Amino acid sequence: MQLKTIALIATRPSAIVSIALSLVASISIGVAVFHYLQDSEYDKIVASHNVLLSQANQIFNAQVGDIENSSRLLSSYFKYTLENANVEKATSALATIGLSLPSISQIRWIDRTGDETFRINFKEGRANIVPSSQLQNKSARYFVKNAFNSTPNEVFLSDIDLNIERGQIEVPYVPTVRSIINFKDHPNGEGLFVVNFQLIDMLEELRELSSAQHQLLISKDSGNWLLHTDRSMEWGVELGSGHLAINTVPVLWGALDSELSVSLFKEGNEDLYSARRITHGTKDNFSDESLILFARTKRDFYEQAFYNSLALAIFLAVFSASVSIFFLLRDKLREMQLSLLAHRLEEEKQSLVKALEAQKLLQDELLESEKMASLGMLVSGMAHELNTPIGGALMMISSVQGRVVELESLIPDKLTLEKLQSLIKHNKEACGLALSNLNRSADLIKRFKRVSVDRGSEDIVQFSLEKLITDLSLSIKPLLKGKKVEVLLDADSDVMLTSYPGVLSQVLQNLVINSIEHAFQNQQNNTIVLAFHRDGENVVIMHKDNGVGISEDIMPNMFDPFVTSARASGNTGLGLHLIYQWVTGMLEGKIEVASRAGDTQFTVTMPIALKVTDAKA
């Protein structure tokens, strides 16, 4: 395609409009793809956040469950040994069994005044029973006060904090939760059975859930970070560093006041956060303070996905625009070439003016008949059938014309007998082929005219049922070929009817179309059989197909208006209703249907001869 030609085509108003529409469509495609990819990326991030938060929640709940069960077992074992031995032996027994649980850091009994009556420290695989001179009063500690107000004989869990010994935070830091059972009636007297569980291993397990793309953070409801990718941010309250979640993600923190969970919240450095509030127990037996799990995706990660989506969207938009404009210019070029060729042919083939005018008259007649909805499909089919023979005739006549021009150029001094005989032979063969094609066209037109005249007439006339079916089959042949459906005629002898041929033709056409649109679902060997036989003064016409059958839900009401199984495909549900009205009304007959998978049959029974009354006349 030359640049000058492209420029000429592109400057045409229609081409400019088409190119503009193509660009708009391409940009729309790019925008749609971009949004789709972005939504997909965000969905992946949401899914990853949910998985991360769920895994963290499961680990935490499993740890809480182990703590509860271990505390109950230890308290039961302590009570049992007290009933059979003294406190010293029971304490020694607790020290032995406590070594089997590596997460335990302390076991102790605190009496009603807050004094420790015994304490066992567990460290580095060893159990150390603290001498009575080193025992402390814990009445001032918050968890002791809260525990004495808890439900007796139930496990109470303190907040998670750093373990404190003699007023100082234990170093290295030991994140601790205390499992406490408040006993009002116990062999050791009224008091608290307290087991300290270190959560170092659990927090490390939670820390390992983080990946390069998505990180897990955990905060207390007070804003204190328990787990952070930057360890210096952790335990801001206890260490006095001032690093709190409420300062890191203030807007998200405010949203969590009214929501238990939040997804994809931009905060801080435009990082994406999802958060979920959990409690380590119920309000009846655990601390009311909750934990907040955060899943964070760094800005760099999702921005890279953004740029990848944008690049792909731009590529698709440019590619689709290039392809659209290419095919548009190609089609416009072909259109221009065809226009020039048509103009030249019009000038060079004056001898075909009458034939073209006749064809124009035929087209006008067919277009006029399209005003009747029942002939719309027949016109399309007939035009398809006429195209081949008329095109063949035109080609032969054009060939004859060319040979005549060649003969004319040879007449002065180059015409030989051999060339003359060759030209005569060629023209005879071309005229024969043109005549054969024109005869075929005339036959097709004759058959179609017979169908169209019948359709347009409202008079009762005598006609051949076999010929009516044959003409109908020929008229809808292109539709049958496109749908890979074969229509077969099954009749031993013809029946001459005195009725409305147009109405009956329309009934049979609608039945065939109904089968094509509803019965066949891309199966092979699609077959419709039209059969008829005489039954006394009536004729019985059967329409059979080997399709999927009619749904039992539709069968009882299938002849009612607007009943269809394919409304999504544009069907209105009036086809069978009109068939029923025509058969029972104008044709004075009846119609029945039987259907199962692979065999559906419509049976029309109607009089062979309708009586002409004044109303019908």
Side-chain angles (χ1 to χ4, degrees):
M1 192 183 299
Q2 297 180 354
L3 293 177
K4 290 184 178 180
T5 306
I6 294 175
L8 179 62
I9 296 172
T11 55
R12 292 186 173 185
S14 60
I16 293 174
V17 172
S18 299
I19 291 173
L21 292 175
S22 297
L23 292 175
V24 170
S26 299
I27 293 173
S28 300
I29 291 172
V31 171
V33 169
F34 172 74
H35 283 296
Y36 171 78
L37 293 175
Q38 279 296 95
D39 291 343
S40 298
E41 288 298 329
Y42 280 122
D43 289 342
K44 290 179 183 177
I45 293 175
V46 169
S48 298
H49 282 191
N50 288 337
V51 169
L52 184 59
L53 296 177
S54 297
Q55 289 176 335
N57 195 14
Q58 290 173 1
I59 292 173
F60 186 80
N61 287 336
Q63 183 71 29
V64 169
D66 290 342
I67 290 173
E68 289 180 334
N69 294 332
S70 299
S71 299
R72 291 191 181 96
L73 289 173
L74 289 170
S75 66
S76 298
Y77 183 73
F78 178 59
K79 184 177 181 181
Y80 171 76
T81 54
L82 276 180
E83 292 172 349
N84 297 280
N86 56 30
V87 175
E88 288 76 12
K89 290 184 178 180
T91 303
S92 298
L94 276 180
T96 301
I97 195 173
L99 287 173
S100 63
L101 301 172
S103 61
I104 294 178
S105 60
Q106 284 184 358
I107 301 177
R108 50 189 164 168
W109 183 274
I110 299 176
D111 64 17
R112 194 69 184 83
T113 64
D115 289 329
E116 295 177 335
T117 62
F118 73 84
R119 181 170 84 235
I120 308 170
N121 293 335
F122 297 87
K123 192 170 185 180
E124 297 178 354
R126 300 177 61 183
N128 178 29
I129 300 177
V130 177
S132 58
S133 60
Q134 297 180 14
L135 297 178
Q136 306 172 37
N137 183 282
K138 298 292 185 178
S139 59
R141 296 302 302 274
Y142 74 92
F143 60 86
V144 174
K145 296 177 181 179
N146 294 338
F148 276 120
N149 295 323
S150 66
T151 304
N153 303 319
E154 294 291 334
V155 177
F156 168 83
L157 296 184
S158 71
D159 291 341
I160 300 172
D161 53 25
L162 295 178
N163 190 47
I164 297 176
E165 289 296 336
R166 301 189 180 280
Q168 299 295 323
I169 296 175
E170 184 179 357
V171 179
Y173 304 139
V174 182
T176 302
V177 64
R178 299 156 192 85
S179 176
I180 309 171
I181 302 178
N182 180 15
F183 287 106
K184 299 296 184 182
D185 182 16
H186 193 273
N188 202 37
E190 182 180 356
L192 305 176
F193 183 76
V194 183
V195 182
N196 286 19
F197 289 86
Q198 59 85 10
L199 302 180
I200 297 174
D201 295 337
M202 183 194 75
L203 290 178
E204 288 303 316
E205 183 180 1
L206 291 171
R207 197 183 302 276
E208 290 176 358
L209 295 178
S210 296
S211 64
Q213 295 81 22
H214 313 291
Q215 297 86 41
L216 175 68
L217 314 176
I218 303 178
S219 167
K220 294 171 65 174
D221 194 51
S222 61
N224 198 20
W225 285 114
L226 302 187
L227 184 71
H228 199 283
T229 54
D230 182 0
R231 292 177 184 263
S232 65
M233 299 284 288
E234 297 174 352
W235 309 107
V237 174
E238 287 85 344
L239 302 179
S241 65
H243 296 309
L244 299 176
I246 191 172
N247 298 328
T248 306
V249 285
V251 181
L252 175 58
W253 193 265
L256 287 169
D257 286 341
S258 58
E259 300 288 342
L260 290 177
S261 63
V262 177
S263 293
L264 295 189
F265 207 101
K266 284 189 178 181
E267 190 69 270
N269 297 324
E270 296 294 311
D271 296 338
L272 285 177
Y273 287 86
S274 294
R276 184 182 301 173
R277 185 187 296 273
I278 64 171
T279 59
H280 45 86
T282 64
K283 291 184 177 181
D284 292 336
N285 55 5
F286 293 163
S287 168
D288 290 345
E289 181 169 336
S290 60
L291 296 181
I292 301 175
L293 306 180
F294 295 89
R296 181 182 69 183
T297 298
K298 287 288 192 177
R299 174 182 176 181
D300 295 343
F301 174 75
Y302 75 80
E303 273 193 350
Q304 184 60 47
F306 170 86
Y307 291 127
N308 291 341
S309 302
L310 183 62
L312 181 58
I314 292 174
F315 170 76
L316 289 177
V318 173
F319 177 76
S320 61
S322 301
V323 171
S324 300
I325 293 173
F326 170 78
F327 283 105
L328 173 66
L329 294 176
R330 189 191 67 174
D331 291 342
K332 291 295 183 180
L333 175 62
R334 289 181 177 178
E335 181 181 338
M336 184 175 67
Q337 291 173 339
L338 289 174
S339 177
L340 293 173
L341 181 60
H343 181 70
R344 292 171 184 172
L345 289 175
E346 184 67 23
E347 292 178 348
E348 295 174 359
K349 297 179 181 179
Q350 293 298 328
S351 60
L352 295 177
V353 171
K354 291 183 179 181
L356 293 175
E357 289 178 352
Q359 184 180 8
K360 182 63 170 57
L361 291 175
L362 175 60
Q363 291 176 344
D364 292 341
E365 183 180 342
L366 293 177
L367 290 174
E368 184 65 22
S369 67
E370 279 186 338
K371 295 178 181 178
M372 302 172 61
S374 62
L375 290 179
M377 186 196 68
L378 300 181
V379 172
S380 176
M382 185 54 58
H384 178 80
E385 289 295 317
L386 285 174
N387 186 57
T388 300
I390 291 178
L394 288 174
M395 184 174 66
M396 291 299 102
I397 293 174
S398 177
S399 178
V400 169
Q401 184 185 26
R403 287 303 183 103
V404 169
V405 174
E406 182 182 351
L407 175 60
E408 185 178 12
S409 66
L410 294 175
I411 287 176
D413 53 4
K414 296 181 181 180
L415 181 62
T416 63
L417 178 60
E418 182 182 356
K419 289 185 179 180
L420 180 59
Q421 290 175 342
S422 174
L423 291 172
I424 292 173
K425 180 181 179 181
H426 174 271
N427 287 355
K428 286 176 66 176
E429 292 175 352
C431 289
L433 289 174
L435 182 61
S436 173
N437 280 311
L438 290 174
N439 285 334
R440 180 182 170 191
S441 300
D443 183 60
L444 289 171
I445 293 171
K446 181 179 179 181
R447 290 176 180 271
F448 176 73
K449 185 177 179 181
R450 188 161 53 233
V451 173
S452 62
V453 169
D454 288 342
R455 293 283 180 92
S457 174
E458 296 183 357
D459 297 331
I460 296 176
V461 297
Q462 189 177 48
F463 59 93
S464 164
L465 179 56
E466 181 178 358
K467 183 176 292 186
L468 181 143
I469 294 175
T470 301
D471 291 346
L472 176 63
S473 299
L474 181 63
S475 300
I476 62 175
K477 183 178 178 182
L479 178 62
L480 299 173
K481 186 185 298 181
K483 298 292 185 178
K484 297 181 180 179
V485 178
E486 183 180 9
V487 174
L488 304 177
L489 176 61
D490 182 12
D492 294 335
S493 60
D494 193 12
V495 176
M496 298 300 296
L497 299 181
T498 303
S499 186
Y500 294 102
V503 175
L504 181 56
S505 175
Q506 184 66 66
V507 168
L508 297 178
Q509 177 184 317
N510 280 21
L511 287 173
V512 171
I513 293 175
N514 186 70
S515 292
I516 291 173
E517 293 183 350
H518 298 280
F520 305 120
Q521 298 180 353
N522 300 324
Q523 63 191 60
Q524 301 295 324
N525 302 319
N526 300 326
T527 304
I528 296 174
V529 178
L530 293 174
F532 62 86
H533 65 271
R534 184 165 185 158
D535 183 15
E537 296 300 320
N538 294 324
V539 63
V540 179
I541 305 173
M542 290 165 289
H543 171 281
K544 307 176 186 178
D545 67 60
N546 62 346
V548 296
I550 301 173
S551 169
E552 293 181 358
D553 298 336
I554 294 179
M555 281 286 289
N557 305 310
M558 63 185 303
F559 292 116
D560 292 347
F562 309 114
V563 175
T564 178
S565 62
R567 193 173 305 280
S569 301
N571 293 291
T572 61
L574 292 175
L576 290 178
H577 176 66
L578 292 175
I579 290 174
Y580 182 83
Q581 296 296 326
W582 287 329
V583 170
T584 59
M586 296 186 69
L587 300 181
E588 299 181 7
K590 63 179 181 179
I591 182 169
E592 299 172 328
V593 61
S595 179
R596 66 175 187 271
D599 183 15
T600 298
Q601 176 174 310
F602 288 86
T603 303
V604 176
T605 304
M606 56 179 284
I608 291 177
L610 289 179
K611 294 181 181 180
V612 180
T613 62
D614 292 340
K616 292 179 180 179

